[in-house]
Amino acid sequence: MSDLRELYQEVILDHNKRPRNCRKLDCATCEAKGHNPLCGDRITVYLRLENGRVEEVTFEGAGCAISMASASMMTQTLKGRTVEEARKVFEVFHDLVTGKGCPGGAAAELGKLAAFSGVSEFPARVKCATLAWHTFNAAADGQQTTVSSE
Ligand code: ZN
């Protein structure tokens, strides 16, 4: 467990304890549900898109600290960006948590999300860290089905 504890850096713990934008969005234009059966994480992402831009993004869910903190930080990162920009951020984030990215470059691009770099050492946790993002993509695509990380 000591390895996992190192993974749960302070910023992740803080977002897990006090998740930002964690509420249903009544004026959402799209929403999608995500499920990570390996860990039991469940999430619903709500989006309000206007002219391809993320005007609002919120989530509701229950799961491990990694999944909830990632969702919380995702909403802060993606609000105000275009869907296209959001997908690019996810690519960089995905490279970071799978250990493919250059850590320095990712840190500049991702800001606080760089706290998830430790996830790359725990492949099972990658699904936790990316669940909200896959669900965001599904919502932006207008998919109504539940995303499974499997
Ligand atoms: Zn999880």
Side-chain angles (χ1 to χ4, degrees), residues 29-94:
T29 56
C30 358
E31 63 179 80
K33 289 184 185 344
H35 179 214
N36 173 14
L38 276 183
C39 180
D41 311 316
R42 284 185 184 276
I43 190 171
T44 304
V45 171
Y46 302 96
L47 286 181
R48 188 158 67 81
L49 295 182
E50 265 174 35
N51 302 320
R53 191 171 291 276
V54 180
E55 294 291 326
E56 288 284 348
V57 49
T58 66
F59 77 101
E60 285 182 315
C64 67
I66 296 283
S67 66
M68 292 297 108
S70 177
S72 171
M73 279 193 244
M74 178 189 79
T75 61
Q76 288 192 315
T77 304
L78 299 189
K79 187 175 171 181
R81 299 202 190 223
T82 64
V83 170
E84 204 177 322
E85 285 167 349
R87 291 195 208 276
K88 284 196 186 121
V89 174
F90 179 31
E91 275 176 39
V92 176
F93 181 69
H94 194 271

